[in-house]
Each structure stands twice: as structure tokens, then as C-alpha cells.
């Protein structure tokens, strides 16, 4: 396996002079050199061939012992120096100090077809940033991250990618419900890929420590390699840099809202500087449309990271990044202008996104009201978001509207006349609104079906794949992986996955309740 290895990150940025793998505060450095832990009996369970192809790894090489050893941390690729990054972060609204790659180890960077990719293992052992934890990951959370990152990519949502999912062969102790009942689970390692794994927190840690020299180095590096179109680093370009991060963050979140993805832990250490979805932990997919829903039981009380609050939290996180960059910009006004613009852009893009979900192209002054009424209706009784919008592309008139979307209701037998009337009233408005559009209903359907996915990684689907994988059967992982490559396509043979969450999954751990334990 001959890879085109680069060392740009490690050669241009300051490293920790301490080479010991001991837990500590790491200052004056962007990263620490650290080696992955050897594992007992590594076994590759699944590979993303699309991603491997982008890295220049052939199908034969994917089958090799060498590949297996690399992606499980059991062998170091020649002339590479794995490392863990230092970052801080605001967790649930509070500054948490140094966090860092506690269980992520970056192996190397590959340049292929003019693209630079970082290869990182998650769950490959302790690092100086592991704090009180073990640096490992379990199979359940690894299956979830592995499948979801690739699913998001195919949904056209900006994201980090997955290369491989492996068992380590080691056992890992976890207390899933945090109720004092820890149990051993299978250890696993995901190899994941991104042009950069830098987070808001990588920048925040320097400003928090008043280390403006290193902050500047890191910002300059980021602009040079990831925002090169902005030109040479300068005060003015630091402002443009912030503007672009703000725009990318908003775009990502609008996409989350569009497909019904709830990240679950939007702490600033989980916000990518490239505006990519990163760190798939206790995330979830909306089943019933509900602005108040969060899958994360750790956030059950305040629901800070609930579906409807994601755009606000994006802005809150950008405020933290603005504060972080202030020492090298030294002007408040341009930063405030950008943050104000986020709000304006959000209103505009959110409306645009919802219009596209409804197949509306031209502008009408009542569009916002039409959408607000719809969102109210969707929350009257439990109504499946994915099924509703997908079915809506076959809408013809208010007489058949209710029948068309009936399947989206979880308890269809008990829908009151009052609710039916509200739906019929909305369908009437929608019919009238569609009448002023200029495209045919066939064209509208085609457009809507490219925006409203037919297949998403519903929470119970991952859980079924996990339950099987726990017993040593990995076929469902592959079935879901293949299914989610074409989320917008009709796949008649896979119609069973275009279905509401089954009742057994309603209150099951892993399906509707997820903790940060992983
Ligand atoms: P998260 O909210 O899961 O993204 O993690 C927050 C912080 O905890 C990050 O610094 C992680 O690296 C660290 N962390 C989470 N799980 C572990 C683990 N099992 N071992 C070491 N560090 C961990
Ligand atoms: Mg994280």
C-alpha cells in the first residue's frame, strides 16, 4: 500500500515537546505526538470503498493485513508520526478548559487527486488529553458514527467521512445509563477522514491561555491551507475568515434542519472550523416532527441542543469563536456585523429551505405564514417528518391531501376531527399556493425528491444493526450502508426502511435515548 503521505500539519505547527503519553495540560502546542495502542485481535468489519478510492487505496490493498493493522493502530505507516490535537471548548454553555483528542489519534495526511486528507482513528487508546477516560470506543457508538457520516455525505450534508469500522478485540467497560451498572462491551475503532479535524476549540484554547502568538500561527495555517482563496493572512482576512466560518456553519445547520438531523452535543469542541458535521455521538433523527426533541439524555433537562435550537446554538458558538479571534482582529464592529448577518441569513435560508421542501419556487408574501402553519400542524400529533415530506411530492389537491400523508401519523386511528380540519385547511392553502407556480407537478415532484430524502438512518435502524453486530452478524451494517448511498432514490426492494419507527423502539435505549457514553 503506497500512499502519498504529507506532513504539512505536523511540520508547520508547533508540537508538544513532551513525548510522554501522560495526561496533562499541554501548552504552547497545537498537538502532541502519541502512538495508538496495540489491540488484542483486530478485525475489519466494514470499509467505505468510495472513501478508500479517494485516498488512492485499491480494493486489493483494502483486503490486506497491512491495511487492517494500520486502521486499528497496530502498525504505524512508515515515516509517519501520529498525533493527538490540543483543544478546549464550551460544553453545555460553560468553558470547560482543555479537552483535546482524548481518544482520537491522527495517523497521517494523504494527498491524492490534488486533495489533502487527514486520517484519524477514534478509539485507538489514551493520549495526553484522555483526562479521566480510557481513550477507547465501543462497538455501538462506532457503528453509529461509521454509518451516519457516510449517510450524511450521500444526503449532501457537509460532514467528515468514514473509511473503516473495526473491532479491536479488546473489551471496554461502560455505564451506558450512568446508573452505576457498568458492563463490558466490544471495543471498536473507526477510521475517519476529513481535510481537517480542527474545531472551534482548537482556537479557543489559545485565547483562553492568552497565547496570542500560537493563536495567530494556527489561524494563519488554517487560512493558508483551507481558506487559501481569501489570500494572505492579514487583519482584514481574519475577518473574512470568520465570515466564511459563520456562513459554512449556517449552511451545515440548515442542512441538518432540512433532513431532520439532531447533533445532540453542539459544544464548541464539536464544531468543525470547516463547517462539517463532526463527532457523531448521541445524535438522532427526527421521527415525529418536534422542535423540542433531543436524543441526548444528558441534555434531557434543559434540552439546549434540541432540534429547533440548533440554529441558535450555531450562533452562540460563533460568538465564542468571535471572542476567540478578537485579539488578532482588535475590532468589535466587523465581528458583530457578521454575527448579525448570521441571523438575517438564517431567516432567509431557512425560509428558502422550507420552500424547497414544499416545492415552491417563486416568491409569495404569504410563504412564511404557510410554513409556520405547516410546522404547527406537524406538531399537533406525532407526525413522521421524513414520510410526510416525501409523500408530499405526490400532492395533487386538498381533497386527497389527508389520505396521501396518512401514513406519516403514528396514531392514525385517533386523529380528531379538529386536527383533520386543520390539515384540510392547510392543504387548501397549499393547493392555492401551488396554483401560482409555473412548473408542472411532475417537475415539482422531481425537485422535491432531491431535497426530501426517502431513507435516513433512523435511530432504531442503527440499533438493529448494533444488536446484530453484538452477536457477530454484520450483514445489517452493510445493508444500511448500501441503502443510504442513495437516500433520495426510490429503492423498491428497500421499501421496508421507508417506515415509521416501530413501537418497540419508542422508549428503547439507543433508539430514542442516547447518552454521551460511548
Ligand atoms: P465528546 O463530547 O464525546 O465529543 O467528548 C468530549 C471530550 O471528551 C473530548 O475531548 C473527547 O476526546 C473526550 N472523550 C470522550 N470519550 C473519551 C474516552 N473514552 N477516552 C478519552 N477521552 C474521551
Ligand atoms: Mg467531541
Amino acid at each position: 500500500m503506497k500512499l502519498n503521505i504529507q506532513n504539512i500539519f505536523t511540520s508547520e505547527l508547533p508540537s508538544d515537546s513532551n513525548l510522554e503519553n501522560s495526561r496533562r495540560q499541554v501548552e504552547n502546542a497545537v498537538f502532541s505526538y502519541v502512538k495508538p495502542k496495540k489491540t488484542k485481535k483486530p478485525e475489519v468489519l466494514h470499509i467505505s470503498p468510495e472513501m478508500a478510492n479517494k485516498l488512492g487505496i485499491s480494493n486489493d490493498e483494502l483486503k490486506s493485513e497491512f491495511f487492517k493493522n494500520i486502521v486499528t493502530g497496530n502498525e504505524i505507516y512508515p515515516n509517519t508520526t501520529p498525533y493527538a490535537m490540543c483543544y478546549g471548548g464550551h460544553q453545555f454553555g460553560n468553558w470547560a478548559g482543555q479537552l483535546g483528542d482524548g481518544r482520537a489519534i491522527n495517523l497521517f495526511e494523504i494527498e491524492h487527486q490534488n486533495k489533502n486528507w487527514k486520517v484519524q482513528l477514534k478509539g485507538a487508546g489514551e493520549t495526553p488529553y484522555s483526562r479521566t477516560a480510557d481513550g477507547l470506543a465501543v462497538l455501538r457508538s462506532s457503528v453509529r458514527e461509521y454509518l451516519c457520516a457516510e449517510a450524511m455525505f450521500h444526503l449532501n450534508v457537509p460532514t467528515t467521512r468514514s473509511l473503516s469500522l473495526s473491532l479491536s478485540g479488546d473489551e471496554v467497560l461502560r455505564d451506558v445509563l450512568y446508573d452505576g451498572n457498568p458492563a463490558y462491551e466490544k471495543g471498536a475503532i473507526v477510521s475517519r477522514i476529513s481535510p481537517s479535524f480542527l474545531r472551534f476549540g482548537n482556537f479557543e484554547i489559545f485565547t483562553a491561555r492568552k497565547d496570542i502568538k500560537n493563536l495567530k500561527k494556527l489561524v494563519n495555517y488554517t487560512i493558508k491551507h483551507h481558506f487559501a482563496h481569501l489570500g494572505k493572512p492579514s487583519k482584514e482576512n481574519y475577518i473574512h475568515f470568520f465570515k466564511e466560518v459563520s456562513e459554512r456553519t449556517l449552511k451545515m445547520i440548515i442542512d441538518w434542519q432540512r433532513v431532520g438531523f439532531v447533533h445532540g452535543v453542539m459544544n464548541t469542541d464539536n464544531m468543525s472550523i470547516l463547517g462539517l458535521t463532526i463527532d457523531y455521538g448521541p445524535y438522532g433523527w427526527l421521527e415525529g416532527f418536534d422542535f423540542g426533541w433531543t436524543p441526548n439524555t444528558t441534555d434531557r433537562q434543559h434540552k439546549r441542543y434540541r432540534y429547533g435550537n440548533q440554529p441558535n446554538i450555531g450562533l452562540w458558538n460563533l460568538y465564542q469563536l468571535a471572542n476567540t479571534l478578537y485579539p488578532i482582529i482588535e475590532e468589535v464592529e466587523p465581528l458583530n456585523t457578521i454575527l448579525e448577518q448570521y441571523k438575517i441569513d438564517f431567516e432567509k435560508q431557512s425560509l428558502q429551505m422550507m420552500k424547497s421542501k414544499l416545492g415552491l419556487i417563486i416568491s409569495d408574501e404569504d410563504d412564511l405564514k404557510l410554513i409556520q402553519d405547516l410546522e404547527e400542524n406537524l406538531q399537533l400529533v406525532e407526525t413522521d417528518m421524513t414520510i410526510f415530506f416525501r409523500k408530499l411530492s405526490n400532492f395533487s389537491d386538498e381533497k386527497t391531501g389527508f389520505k396521501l400523508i396518512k401514513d406519516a401519523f403514528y396514531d392514525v386511528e385517533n386523529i380528531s376531527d379538529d386536527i383533520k380540519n386543520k390539515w384540510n385547511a392547510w392543504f387548501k392553502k397549499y393547493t392555492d399556493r401551488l396554483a401560482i407556480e409555473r412548473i408542472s407537478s411532475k417537475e415539482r415532484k422531481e425537485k422535491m425528491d432531491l431535497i426530501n430524502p426517502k431513507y435516513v438512518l433512523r435511530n432504531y435502524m442503527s440499533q438493529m444493526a448494533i444488536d446484530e453486530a453484538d452477536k457477530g452478524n454484520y450483514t445489517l451494517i452493510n445493508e444500511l450502508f448500501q441503502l443510504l448511498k442513495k437516500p433520495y432514490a426510490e429503492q423498491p426492494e428497500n421499501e421496508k426502511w421507508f417506515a415509521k419507527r416501530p413501537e418497540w423502539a419508542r422508549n428503547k435505549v439507543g433508539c430514542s435515548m442516547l447518552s454521551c457514553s460511548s
Side-chain angles (χ1 to χ4, degrees), residues 362-364 367 431-439:
I362 62 169
S363 293
D364 184 80
D367 284 346
T431 307
D432 294 346
R433 176 62 183 78
L434 289 177
I436 63 169
E437 287 289 338
R438 293 186 200 102
I439 56 168

Side-chain angles (χ1 to χ4, degrees), residues 199 269-270 279:
R199 302 137 190 275
D269 52 299
N270 289 336
D279 279 11

Side-chain angles (χ1 to χ4, degrees), residues 14-18 24-32 85-87 97-98 128-129 205-206 208-211 213-214:
S15 64
D16 179 7
S17 55
N18 185 346
R24 58 200 142 83
Q25 292 293 306
V26 174
E27 299 197 357
N28 303 310
V30 173
F31 64 93
S32 306
M85 289 189 275
C86 179
Y87 56 78
Q98 178 182 299
Y129 310 98
I205 189 77
F206 288 124
R209 289 173 169 163
K210 302 200 166 45
D211 181 356
K213 197 176 100 218
N214 279 314

Side-chain angles (χ1 to χ4, degrees), residues 216-232:
K216 207 166 191 170
K217 268 191 203 165
L218 185 59
V219 174
N220 289 355
Y221 164 90
T222 309
I223 292 178
K224 178 173 165 198
H225 294 291
H226 302 288
F227 296 79
H229 53 278
L230 297 180
K232 282 214 156 50

Side-chain angles (χ1 to χ4, degrees), residues 13-80:
L13 290 167
S15 64
D16 179 7
S17 55
N18 185 346
L19 297 179
E20 239 173 81
N21 190 358
S22 60
R23 293 150 199 239
R24 58 200 142 83
Q25 292 293 306
V26 174
E27 299 197 357
N28 303 310
V30 173
F31 64 93
S32 306
Y33 289 111
V34 62
K35 291 202 169 57
K37 177 178 175 261
K38 291 222 164 35
T39 76
K40 199 160 162 194
K41 197 171 176 294
E43 185 188 346
V44 177
L45 302 183
H46 207 273
I47 292 169
S48 166
E50 297 79 25
M51 196 57 238
N53 188 275
K54 289 206 162 124
L55 300 175
I57 308 175
S58 72
N59 287 349
D60 280 344
E61 289 166 337
L62 291 175
K63 293 182 197 123
S64 68
E65 253 331 80
F66 184 58
F67 177 80
K68 174 177 85 182
N69 287 337
I70 295 291
V71 294
T72 54
N74 285 289
E75 208 171 323
I76 308 273
Y77 194 87
N79 302 318
T80 62

